[in-house]
Amino acid sequence: MQNTQHQNLVGFIWNIANKLRGPYRPPQYRRVMLPLIVLRRFDLVLAENKQKVLNEKKRLEDKGIKGPALEKALSRIAATDRTQELFNTSGFTFEKLLDDAPNIAGNLIAYIQGFSPRARDIFDKFEFETEIAKLDEANRLFLIIREFCSGEVNLSPKVINNLQMGYLFEELVRKFNEQANEEAGDHFTPREVIRLMVQLLFTGEDDIFKPGVYRSVYDPTAGTGGMLSESEKHMKEKNPDAHIELFGQEYNPESYAICCSDLLIKDEPINNLIYGDTLGIKEAKNKTNGFVPHDGHPEKKFHYMLANPPFGVEWKPEQDFVREEYEAQGFSGRFGAGLPRINDGSLLFLQHMISKMHQPPKFVKGKNVGGDGSKIAIVFNGSPLFTGDAGSGESNIRRWIIERDMLDAVVALPDQMFYNTGIYTYVWIVTNKKPSHRQGKVQLIDGTRHFKKMDRSLGNKRNELSDDHIKELVRLYAEYEHSAESEVIVEIDGKPKKVNRVCSRLFNNHEFGFLKITVERPLRLNIQASAERIAKLDEQSAFVDLASSKKRKDDTAYRNEIAAGQETQAAIKYTLLRMDGDTRYLNRLAFESVLEVALKKAGIKIGASIKKAILLALSERDPKADICLDAKGNPEPDVELRDTEVVALPKDIGLPLPLGYDNETDHDKLLALVKDHCEDYLKAEVMPHIPDAWIDHSKTKVGYEIPLTRCFYIYQPPRPLELIAHEISQLEKDILAMLREVV
C-alpha cells in the first residue's frame, strides 16, 4: 500500500471518528473506532465465502458435527488464504445491517456473536456491546456503520494485504492512544522509544540474519502490542525468511483486545498472548473471561524480551503471591534476589524476565554446547537506578544483575518523552550472552540531549526522538567506546548551540558496588546526682513501671503492688538526693561504685533495668568525660554519634561477592575480603578528624547503584561576582528609571 493511500485512509477514518463528538469526547473515540475497524476488516475478509460458510454450517450440523470440529471446518472454508481461525456464522454483513436500520443495534450484536470464539473474545474484551447501546441511543450507530461502508474506507484484503492492514491498524492505535493519553494519562509507549529499544536489542545479533532462523519475542506487559509488532517488523525487514513467534501477557482487557486484534488482522497466532496478571494474584476471584492470575508462560524461555512496566505503581494486589513465591522458592522462583518496596514493582518485572532467559552460550572447541542465551530491553524511570539503601531489596536486585555480568548498558532518554509524565526515563539492556569485549563492563549512554521539540505537545510529551537521534544512540551502543562524543545542542548564554559532548562511558562492574560501613564513636558521659537530673527519673519508663501492676482482677493486690512500687520510687529518689549533688563524675564506673554503696546503705535492691534508668536520668554527654566501657571492657558506642560511610569496593575484588542476599549468610567471608580495605579508608578519611572512631564490621553492608547522571556531570563554574554585581546595579538603575516615570 502506497504511503499516500495509507495516510488517506487514516484521514478518512479520523473524520469518521469526529462524527462521534457529542456523545463521546475525543479521548473516548477509540472505544468505538478500534473495535469497528477490526470488525469491518473481518467483515470484508469473510465476505467472499460468507454464503459457503452458512451452507457448510447447516450441512455439518445436520450430520451432528459441532464444537471444535465444526469450527475448524468452517475456518477452512471462510478464508482459504488464512492460517488463523476466523469465520462468522450469522447472516449479517455491514451492508445487510444497513438494510434494517430500526434493529441495527440488536443485529450488530448478533453479528458479533456469530464470530469464531477467539474473535468473539476480542469484542468481549472491548466491551463493545456497551458502546453499541450508547451509539444507538445517541442516533450515531447507523451513521457510523454507513460511513464504514463508503468507498473512501475500503479495508478489503483485495486492496490492503494483511501486513499493510496491520501497519494501518497500528498507526490508528497510536493516534487514538495519543489522543487518549493527552487527557487520561494511560501508559502508552511512544513509537519512537519502541524503535530505539528494538534497534538496541538487535544490535550485534547476527544470528537473526540466518535463513529460516527461529526466534521468540516476549513482552510481559504487552499493552497494545507495540513492542511485539515493532520487533517483528524489524526482524522481518532484516530477514524475511526468519520464523518469529510472539508471546505476551496483559491484564488490561482493552489493551489485550487491541493487541489480539493486531495479530489476528495480520493472520498471526493469538494463542500466545495471555490475558492475566504476569506477577500473580493470590486467591484471585474466579472469572469467566479467561483471566489468568499468574504467569501465563510458566515453562517458556524466550530469545528476546521487551517491556515498559508501569512507573512507580504499587504491587499490593500481587504482594501475597509474590512474597509467598519469594519465601518458598528463592532463586528456584522468579524473585530470589529480593523484593523492592511496595510502591514500585518495576524491578519485579525485570526479575521475571530474567527467569525467562535461555541458558547462556557455552563454547567448547568452537562449538556451542550451551543455550542460545537471551537479551532484554526494558524502560524504567530513575528509581531502579539508585533507590534503596545498601542491603535493601532494590540494591540486592541490582547487585545480583551486575555481579552476574548481565547488565550490558543503560541509555538515558530525554525528559518529556512520555504522554503522562515529564520525568527522565532509562532503557536497560540486560543479557546473559555478552560478547567477549563487553564482558565485565557496563556501558552508560547519555541520550538526554538527543531529541527534537514536537510541533504540538501531547499531554506531557513535548520531545521526541528523530530517526537521526535513534541512529546516533544505536551507533554509540554498537561502537562501545569509552568517552565517545556526540554532537548535541546545549544552551550557552541563553542560546542553543551545537557542541560535542561525551555521551558514552564504560565502567567495570565492581565500580557500581560499594560498602556501607558503620563508624562508631565512644560514649562519654558525666553523671551528677543533682535535684534537676533526679527529677528526670520520671521520664524513664522502667522507673515509672515500678508503680504499676498487672493484677487488675484483684483490686486489693493491685493497690498494694502500686503502693509498694511508689514507696520504692520514693526511697530511690531520697537516696539519690542524699548523695553529693554538686560532684560531677567524669567516669561512669566511679559513679556506679558510689551508687551501689548508697543503695546498699539504704537497703534498696534494684535490677539492671532500674540501674540503667538511673544512669540515663543522671547522665549527660560530655566530650571531656572518660569513655564508657561495656561489661567486657570494650568502648561502648554512642548511638547519637553513630555515622555511616560509603566505601568503594576494592578494585581487585572478584565478583560475585560471597555475601548472601539475606545480608547475613557468609558475612564473615565478605569481611575477610574487605576488612583491611575498610580499615585503610577509616585511617585515611575519618581518623584524621575523629581519632577515637572505629568500625563496627558486623554492620557492614553491600550496596549497588547506577549514578548515571553523576557520570556525565560537567561542572559549570559560577559567574564572576563582578558580572553579577554589574547586572544587579543595572537592574537597580532600570527600576529607578521606571519609578521616575510613575512619579
Side-chain angles (χ1 to χ4, degrees):
M1 181 172 57
Q2 295 179 352
N3 187 58
T4 302
Q5 183 186 3
H6 175 100
Q7 294 303 322
N8 286 341
L9 270 173
V10 170
F12 290 141
I13 291 172
W14 196 256
N15 288 335
I16 295 174
N18 283 326
K19 291 179 171 59
L20 296 170
R21 188 180 293 274
Y24 292 87
R25 293 178 292 107
Q28 299 173 324
Y29 288 172
R30 73 183 195 280
R31 299 179 188 175
V32 173
M33 296 304 297
L34 294 179
L36 278 178
I37 292 164
V38 176
L39 192 60
R40 180 55 171 166
R41 172 64 175 187
F42 290 170
D43 181 64
L44 293 171
V45 166
L46 301 175
E48 185 174 345
N49 295 323
K50 180 78 175 187
Q51 192 57 48
K52 291 181 181 180
V53 170
L54 297 177
N55 295 339
E56 183 67 3
K57 177 177 180 290
K58 184 177 185 308
R59 187 182 73 82
L60 293 176
E61 286 181 338
D62 289 344
K63 290 184 176 183
I65 298 174
K66 55 185 179 181
L70 175 64
E71 292 169 1
K72 288 183 179 179
L74 296 180
S75 184
R76 285 194 295 268
I77 296 173
T80 56
D81 58 343
R82 288 181 61 88
T83 58
Q84 303 306 311
E85 184 178 282
L86 181 66
F87 60 84
N88 187 285
T89 57
S90 77
F92 295 105
T93 63
F94 263 49
E95 285 74 18
K96 288 183 179 180
L97 290 171
L98 295 176
D99 293 338
D100 188 6
N103 299 307
I104 191 170
N107 292 341
L108 180 56
I109 292 172
Y111 179 40
I112 292 171
Q113 292 300 317
F115 273 100
S116 46
R118 292 308 299 267
R120 189 167 63 246
D121 181 61
I122 289 174
F123 296 105
D124 288 343
K125 296 294 190 299
F126 273 124
E127 299 182 351
F128 192 46
E129 287 191 17
T130 302
E131 306 307 328
I132 291 173
K134 184 175 180 179
L135 286 167
D136 190 45
E137 186 176 344
N139 297 310
R140 294 289 202 285
L141 184 59
F142 181 87
L143 172 65
I144 298 300
I145 296 294
R146 186 178 64 188
E147 291 293 330
F148 268 98
C149 292
S150 70
E152 292 179 328
V153 185
N154 190 347
L155 304 181
S156 168
K158 295 178 181 179
V159 177
I160 309 173
N161 64 35
N162 289 336
L163 184 61
Q164 292 167 341
M165 184 63 205
Y167 291 159
L168 175 67
F169 183 69
E170 288 163 15
E171 171 72 7
L172 289 164
V173 168
R174 182 188 66 80
K175 286 181 70 69
F176 284 117
N177 270 332
E178 285 178 352
Q179 187 75 43
N181 272 278
E182 185 175 359
E183 182 169 312
D186 294 337
H187 203 72
F188 174 72
T189 312
R191 190 59 57 143
E192 79 270 20
V193 174
I194 296 177
R195 288 201 303 273
L196 172 64
M197 293 173 67
V198 167
Q199 291 185 38
L200 290 170
L201 191 69
F202 292 117
T203 297
E205 297 294 297
D206 297 335
D207 286 349
I208 65 173
F209 300 112
K210 295 179 180 178
V213 68
Y214 167 80
R215 286 295 180 264
S216 54
V217 184
Y218 172 62
D219 184 348
T221 57
T224 57
M227 292 188 179
L228 294 175
S229 60
E230 195 66 33
S231 299
E232 180 187 42
K233 178 182 176 182
H234 182 84
M235 290 180 71
K236 283 292 187 181
E237 287 176 352
K238 300 289 185 181
N239 183 3
D241 297 327
H243 176 49
I244 303 159
E245 197 169 9
L246 305 179
F247 296 82
Q249 187 158 346
E250 173 56 39
Y251 69 20
N252 180 277
E254 183 188 33
S255 298
Y256 170 81
I258 293 171
C259 188
C260 286
S261 300
D262 183 31
L263 293 172
L264 202 55
I265 280 172
K266 294 185 288 191
D267 194 26
E268 295 179 2
I270 61 174
N271 294 333
N272 294 335
L273 189 69
I274 305 298
Y275 173 52
D277 194 303
T278 300
L279 297 179
I281 299 178
K282 192 176 180 182
E283 298 177 358
K285 294 181 180 179
N286 292 327
K287 295 191 175 185
T288 58
N289 59 357
F291 184 85
V292 177
H294 52 74
D295 176 14
H297 304 283
E299 305 299 327
K300 288 290 294 182
K301 305 292 182 183
F302 307 102
H303 294 98
Y304 300 105
M305 291 172 264
L306 305 96
N308 176 14
F311 298 161
V313 174
E314 287 188 346
W315 50 282
K316 278 187 178 179
E318 297 84 8
Q319 183 178 11
D320 291 343
F321 189 100
V322 170
R323 187 167 293 280
E324 183 177 284
E325 179 177 336
Y326 165 70
E327 293 174 351
Q329 300 183 36
F331 281 102
S332 298
R334 297 174 291 171
F335 311 113
L339 304 180
R341 294 173 304 165
I342 197 68
N343 60 359
D344 189 351
S346 53
L347 281 170
L348 292 175
F349 286 97
L350 179 54
Q351 287 191 91
H352 166 81
M353 295 166 80
I354 290 173
S355 75
K356 300 290 185 183
M357 282 181 162
H358 284 288
Q359 287 297 312
K362 182 179 179 181
F363 291 93
V364 177
K365 295 181 180 180
K367 184 178 180 181
N368 183 15
V369 296
D372 291 330
S374 301
K375 196 172 181 182
I376 295 169
I378 185 168
V379 61
F380 286 142
N381 63 5
S383 179
L385 291 172
F386 48 77
T387 297
D389 199 2
S392 67
E394 293 95 338
S395 178
N396 281 345
I397 295 167
R398 290 189 292 268
R399 176 189 158 205
W400 176 63
I401 294 169
I402 294 172
E403 287 189 354
R404 277 148 187 79
D405 202 20
M406 289 189 287
L407 183 59
D408 185 28
V410 179
V411 182
L413 301 181
D415 63 347
Q416 303 178 64
M417 286 291 296
F418 283 75
Y419 303 100
N420 63 332
T421 178
I423 62 175
Y424 286 99
T425 49
Y426 304 83
V427 176
W428 291 34
I429 305 297
V430 179
T431 182
N432 62 355
K433 55 174 183 175
K434 284 186 182 181
S436 57
H437 70 286
R438 300 182 78 103
Q439 290 175 7
K441 295 182 180 294
V442 176
Q443 182 182 18
L444 302 183
I445 297 175
D446 180 13
T448 56
R449 293 183 177 87
H450 293 73
F451 67 91
K452 67 175 183 178
K453 286 290 181 184
M454 298 175 63
D455 295 332
R456 183 178 72 88
S457 63
L458 294 169
N460 291 106
K461 182 173 175 59
R462 298 175 180 86
N463 299 328
E464 63 182 353
L465 299 171
S466 68
D467 290 341
D468 288 339
H469 292 130
I470 293 174
K471 184 178 179 181
E472 178 64 7
L473 292 173
V474 172
R475 179 192 70 80
L476 290 169
Y477 173 72
E479 292 182 359
Y480 195 66
E481 293 180 0
H482 184 63
S483 297
E485 293 186 347
S486 183
E487 187 179 78
V488 297
I489 298 177
V490 298
E491 193 171 284
I492 299 177
D493 296 330
K495 297 180 181 179
K497 185 177 180 181
K498 288 185 178 181
V499 297
N500 287 331
R501 283 282 175 87
V502 172
C503 292
S504 170
R505 294 191 186 277
L506 309 180
F507 296 90
N508 293 316
N509 288 341
H510 76 264
E511 293 182 77
F512 298 101
F514 61 90
L515 300 163
K516 186 176 182 181
I517 62 173
T518 299
V519 178
E520 302 283 15
R521 295 175 62 184
L523 179 65
R524 298 174 185 267
L525 299 173
N526 71 56
I527 306 177
Q528 185 178 7
S530 64
E532 181 183 356
R533 296 192 187 186
I534 292 171
K536 293 182 179 179
L537 269 174
D538 294 329
E539 300 173 6
Q540 300 298 320
S541 59
F543 185 79
V544 173
D545 289 343
L546 279 174
S548 64
S549 175
K550 295 182 180 179
K551 298 177 181 179
R552 299 185 181 276
K553 294 183 179 179
D554 187 336
D555 186 63
T556 301
Y558 175 77
R559 292 176 181 275
N560 289 340
E561 191 168 13
I562 290 178
Q566 290 173 340
E567 287 181 12
T568 304
Q569 287 176 331
I572 291 173
K573 286 184 176 180
Y574 178 74
T575 301
L576 294 175
L577 286 168
R578 293 190 65 187
M579 294 175 65
D580 184 0
D582 295 327
T583 302
R584 181 170 295 184
Y585 294 84
L586 298 181
N587 186 290
R588 189 171 66 180
L589 285 176
F591 176 79
E592 287 180 5
S593 299
V594 174
L595 176 64
E596 288 178 12
V597 171
L599 292 173
K600 187 176 181 180
K601 187 176 180 180
I604 302 172
K605 292 183 179 181
I606 60 172
S609 60
I610 302 302
K611 181 180 178 181
K612 183 179 179 181
I614 293 171
L615 293 174
L616 286 173
L618 304 185
S619 63
E620 289 183 353
R621 282 172 171 78
D622 186 345
K624 296 179 181 180
D626 295 340
I627 294 174
C628 297
L629 304 177
D630 61 19
K632 296 181 180 180
N634 298 317
E636 186 176 326
D638 187 339
V639 295
E640 292 190 8
L641 297 179
R642 181 175 293 158
D643 201 358
T644 57
E645 293 280 332
V646 171
V647 182
L649 288 175
K651 293 181 180 180
D652 58 349
I653 198 164
L655 299 179
L657 297 175
L659 180 66
Y661 289 90
D662 58 0
N663 302 307
E664 296 178 1
T665 305
D666 293 328
H667 191 268
D668 55 336
K669 294 181 180 179
L670 172 71
L671 292 183
L673 296 174
V674 304
K675 189 172 182 178
D676 290 343
H677 176 70
C678 294
E679 290 291 345
D680 290 342
Y681 175 88
L682 183 76
K683 292 174 184 176
E685 302 294 337
V686 179
M687 294 184 72
H689 312 285
I690 311 171
D692 58 2
W694 75 92
I695 299 173
D696 183 349
H697 290 286
S698 67
K699 294 184 173 72
T700 297
K701 295 181 179 180
V702 173
Y704 272 78
E705 65 177 7
I706 305 168
L708 192 147
T709 302
R710 191 165 73 227
C711 294
F712 292 97
Y713 174 74
I714 297 176
Y715 173 71
Q716 298 289 342
R719 295 184 301 158
L721 290 175
E722 295 80 7
L723 178 60
I724 297 173
H726 174 73
E727 291 179 355
I728 293 173
S729 176
Q730 187 60 47
L731 286 171
E732 290 174 343
K733 292 177 181 178
D734 293 342
I735 293 170
L736 288 172
M738 287 188 287
L739 288 173
R740 291 191 194 98
E741 291 178 5
V742 173
V743 175

